[in-house]
């Protein structure tokens, strides 16, 4: 089967890993996500992943509750490492070869981020999971995904969410919300559609890195994007 993209960056939110649970890691959900990843890996697609940590700890919210923002952001980075380890374990059980690289040094657990090694892993067909965001406070994992996507020279960034694309408003609140099939980065930023933070969107726009937002809970959605079918919302340059 021919594929539209050779190398991708998949952004997984922490919330996607908890499924319908109120917090934490749902192993059944992770197993299903990994099976979708394995399917496109078998097609020869090189896969890099940036994972969030909102299912365990959300730095900005906690900072608003009174905790020092820098401290809260570092705690959030550690939560992404926990999620990366859970993903790595599930991938090993599925027969994939995963490697975690962390922007924070935790050498006893994961290896540090080294661009050249990450690119070599990808070229060998291994799945590279990037943890700890950018390693700096005040930057989201969305921004980390845009940054790693550019550093890895990916063809597209895919953001996996709980909804099947970008809507004019929150479809869980507004029944009149409409889904965009395609939208430009400028319009997404101007309309403040909350698909990603403005820094991440601006990075993608300026570096001409296309983005597709889709539902990770829709079976086969990831494969359909990879083979060039219409799925989710495509954000254009």
């Amino acid at each position: 089967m021919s594929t539209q993209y050779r190398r991708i960056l998949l952004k997984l939110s922490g919330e996607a890993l908890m499924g319908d649970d109120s917090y934490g890691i749902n192993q059944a959900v992770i197993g299903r996500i990994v099976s979708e990843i394995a399917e496109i890996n078998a097609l020869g697609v090189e896969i890099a992943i940036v994972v969030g940590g909102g299912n365990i700890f959300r730095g900005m919210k906690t900072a608003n509750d009174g905790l020092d923002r820098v401290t809260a952001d570092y705690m959030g980075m550690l939560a992404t490492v926990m999620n990366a380890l859970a993903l790595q374990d599930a991938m090993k059980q599925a027969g994939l070869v995963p490697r975690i690289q962390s922007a924070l040094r935790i050498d006893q657990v994961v290896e540090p981020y080294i661009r050249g090694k990450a690119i070599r892993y990808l070229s060998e067909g291994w799945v590279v999971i990037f943890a700890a965001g950018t390693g700096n406070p005040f930057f989201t994992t969305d921004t980390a995904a845009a940054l790693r996507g550019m550093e890895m020279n990916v063809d597209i960034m895919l953001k996996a969410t709980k909804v099947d694309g970008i809507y004019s408003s929150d479809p869980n609140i507004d029944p009149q919300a409409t889904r965009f099939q395609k939208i430009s980065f400028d319009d997404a930023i101007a309309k403040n559609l909350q698909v990603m933070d403005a820094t991440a969107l601006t990075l993608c726009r300026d570096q001409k890195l296309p983005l597709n937002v889709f539902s990770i809970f829709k079976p086969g959605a990831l494969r359909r994007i990879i083979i060039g079918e219409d799925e989710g919302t495509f954000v254009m340059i």
Side-chain angles (χ1 to χ4, degrees), residues 45-180:
V45 178
E46 298 174 5
I47 307 163
I49 298 174
V50 168
V51 62
N55 57 318
I56 299 173
F57 188 89
R58 184 167 290 281
M60 188 176 294
K61 178 184 183 302
T62 309
N64 290 336
D65 292 339
L67 186 67
D68 175 72
R69 172 63 189 274
V70 174
T71 299
D73 280 356
Y74 279 121
M75 292 171 71
M77 292 178 215
L78 295 176
T80 72
V81 176
M82 296 170 67
N83 282 337
L85 289 169
L87 276 171
Q88 177 180 249
D89 184 74
M91 287 181 182
K92 286 180 178 178
Q93 294 183 41
L96 296 171
V97 183
R99 286 292 184 273
I100 300 174
Q101 289 199 347
S102 171
L104 293 179
R105 293 197 69 117
I106 316 175
D107 294 353
Q108 293 91 338
V109 182
V110 292
E111 66 179 76
Y113 170 65
I114 300 174
R115 179 175 180 263
K117 288 181 69 174
I119 290 175
R120 178 167 59 83
Y121 292 157
L122 291 172
S123 66
E124 292 176 358
W126 299 358
V127 180
V128 180
I129 307 168
F130 296 113
T134 66
N136 301 289
F138 303 105
F139 291 94
T140 67
T141 51
D142 281 347
T143 298
L147 177 63
R148 295 291 182 250
M150 291 180 286
E151 289 177 316
M152 295 299 106
N153 300 317
V154 301
D155 300 320
I156 190 170
M157 181 163 72
L158 308 179
K159 179 167 182 180
T161 69
K162 288 187 173 183
V163 293
D164 60 341
I166 303 174
Y167 282 76
S168 56
S169 57
D170 189 342
N172 296 318
I173 299 175
D174 182 7
Q176 303 301 318
T178 57
R179 182 177 68 87
F180 296 98

Side-chain angles (χ1 to χ4, degrees), residues 1 13 16 51 53 70-71 124 131-133 136 155 178 187 192 196-197 208 218 226 237:
M1 183 180 295
S13 68
V51 62
V70 174
T71 299
E124 292 176 358
N136 301 289
D155 300 320
T178 57
D187 283 345
N192 194 28
M196 297 178 79
D197 67 85
K208 297 180 172 53
K218 188 175 180 181
I226 293 302
I237 308 303

Side-chain angles (χ1 to χ4, degrees), residues 7-38:
R7 179 181 293 171
I8 67 165
L9 187 291
L10 175 64
K11 169 62 194 332
L12 281 175
S13 68
E15 288 83 352
L17 302 183
M18 66 185 184
D20 293 327
D21 297 342
S22 57
Y23 66 93
I25 299 169
N26 186 302
Q27 290 299 327
V29 169
I30 284 189
R32 191 185 56 73
I33 291 173
V34 167
S35 69
E36 302 256 347
I37 293 171

